[in-house]
Amino acid sequence: MTIRQDALSVKQINGTAAADLAIVQNQIIENIERSAISVMLKNQNLSGNPQSGSVETKRFRNSASAAYGTARTAAAGVDVREEKVVIYLDQDREIVEEIEHKDVVAYGVADMLSRRSRNHSGSMIRELDRAFFSTAVTGGTLFTATTGATTLKMRIDEALVALQTVSNNFVDGVELEDIRLVLSVAGHSLLKNEIIALESSHITTADGAVGLYAGVPVYVTNRLPSGTQAILMVRDSVAQPVLFEEYKVEEIPLSKAVGVSLFYAYGTKVVTPELVLHLAV
């Protein structure tokens, strides 16, 4: 869930329309949604208003069949049981920069922000990805392979079997197509000969994955926590709602410089701990 709060009105600030700033901000959001691995993996099935400070998702228990006539005899069906998971947007962040007057005159605020937007989005992508994977590790399950699994490939194979056969009140096995493998740079180096490269026409359908391992889309990142070599997870297992405020531009008191600020908040939480397996180095 990624939301930008709309401006209440369009104002001219130092000759720059607030609507133009909104365009630049949308570019940042688009860059994040296109490039952040966390966005490709996170839970999007959230409800509630992020501006209230929290959103929620629900896990529904598995249905079970009964003999024909059971509901008629009881004059009622079985209640749908659910577990509510609340995600708090508890990380308040900001990007505040000053633009010198000569640059404002030469380029205009909107153009300067457009030039800075790639840097801003890059900073946010790194932060959101690191928070996402850090939470996945701390809130997920450390997988311990058998003593006979001495290579990364063998350990991942065992973890893949374990993930596919998870069974509890909410899960009755996991389909291979729902699993994602995230490797550290070092882990990818060890496993790269086992990864099947994707055809260029399939890359977009695989959510930007670099290839397939045993039919599972593979992602590579340098943002896994230290000591983590790989994460096997079911897509949607981790939630990370993000809320953007509108860009603000104002003159710096007693100065010719202009201040631009972007405030945003986010929260990260593991929704299904048993469906996130991480492997240590």
Side-chain angles (χ1 to χ4, degrees):
M1 178 179 289
T2 305
I3 295 178
R4 179 182 64 81
Q5 292 179 331
D6 293 329
L8 296 177
S9 62
V10 177
K11 301 178 181 179
Q12 292 291 332
I13 308 174
N14 296 311
T16 301
D20 293 334
L21 302 181
I23 292 174
V24 175
Q25 185 172 355
N26 284 335
Q27 291 173 349
I28 292 179
I29 295 175
E30 289 171 3
N31 287 339
I32 293 172
E33 294 182 339
R34 183 173 58 249
S35 304
I37 296 177
S38 54
V39 172
M40 303 170 191
L41 302 178
K42 72 180 183 178
N43 190 313
Q44 304 282 2
N45 300 314
L46 306 177
S47 60
N49 184 0
Q51 297 180 42
S52 69
S54 67
V55 293
E56 66 180 45
T57 187
K58 295 179 180 179
R59 300 187 69 187
F60 293 95
R61 289 186 175 241
N62 292 326
S63 300
S65 63
Y68 177 75
T70 300
R72 178 175 297 180
T73 300
V78 178
D79 291 336
V80 176
R81 302 182 65 182
E82 63 184 39
E83 179 181 283
K84 183 187 299 183
V85 180
V86 179
I87 305 95
Y88 294 97
L89 285 79
D90 53 5
Q91 299 298 311
D92 296 309
R93 309 295 291 171
E94 66 180 40
I95 297 177
V96 180
E97 296 182 337
E98 293 185 11
I99 302 176
E100 291 300 327
H101 179 262
K102 61 180 181 295
D103 294 323
V104 174
V105 172
Y107 304 107
V109 175
D111 188 58
M112 281 296 300
L113 284 180
S114 182
R115 292 166 182 260
R116 298 293 298 153
S117 65
R118 177 170 296 185
N119 182 275
H120 292 174
S121 59
S123 297
M124 295 180 68
I125 288 170
R126 290 190 294 272
E127 179 178 359
L128 293 174
D129 275 359
R130 288 192 177 106
F132 182 90
F133 293 122
S134 176
T135 300
V137 168
T138 57
T141 304
L142 175 63
F143 179 77
T144 303
T146 62
T147 55
T150 57
T151 67
L152 178 60
K153 179 183 184 306
M154 296 170 70
R155 294 165 63 209
I156 288 178
D157 286 345
E158 289 190 1
L160 193 55
V161 171
L163 192 55
Q164 287 181 274
T165 54
V166 170
S167 181
N168 54 39
N169 289 332
F170 301 96
V171 182
D172 187 12
V174 175
E175 298 297 330
L176 196 65
E177 63 187 26
D178 295 327
I179 299 176
R180 299 293 183 266
L181 171 61
V182 184
L183 295 171
S184 66
V185 175
H188 176 253
S189 179
L190 294 173
L191 204 66
K192 62 184 178 182
N193 292 333
E194 306 293 336
I195 297 174
I196 300 175
L198 289 173
E199 298 283 344
S200 59
S201 60
H202 294 159
I203 290 179
T204 54
T205 60
D207 299 328
V210 300
L212 296 174
Y213 175 81
V216 174
V218 178
Y219 301 84
V220 181
T221 180
N222 60 359
R223 295 164 194 148
L224 293 187
S226 177
T228 300
Q229 200 166 36
I231 298 176
L232 268 170
M233 62 187 300
V234 174
R235 189 172 54 177
D236 296 343
S237 292
V238 180
Q240 189 182 64
V242 183
L243 174 66
F244 292 87
E245 293 186 14
E246 64 180 24
Y247 255 125
K248 295 180 180 178
V249 181
E250 57 188 352
E251 294 183 355
I252 304 298
L254 303 177
S255 169
K256 290 184 177 181
V258 174
V260 294
S261 56
L262 173 62
F263 297 95
Y264 60 99
Y266 69 91
T268 314
K269 187 171 184 177
V270 176
V271 177
T272 54
E274 75 276 21
L275 300 183
V276 180
L277 305 182
H278 57 95
L279 286 70
V281 175

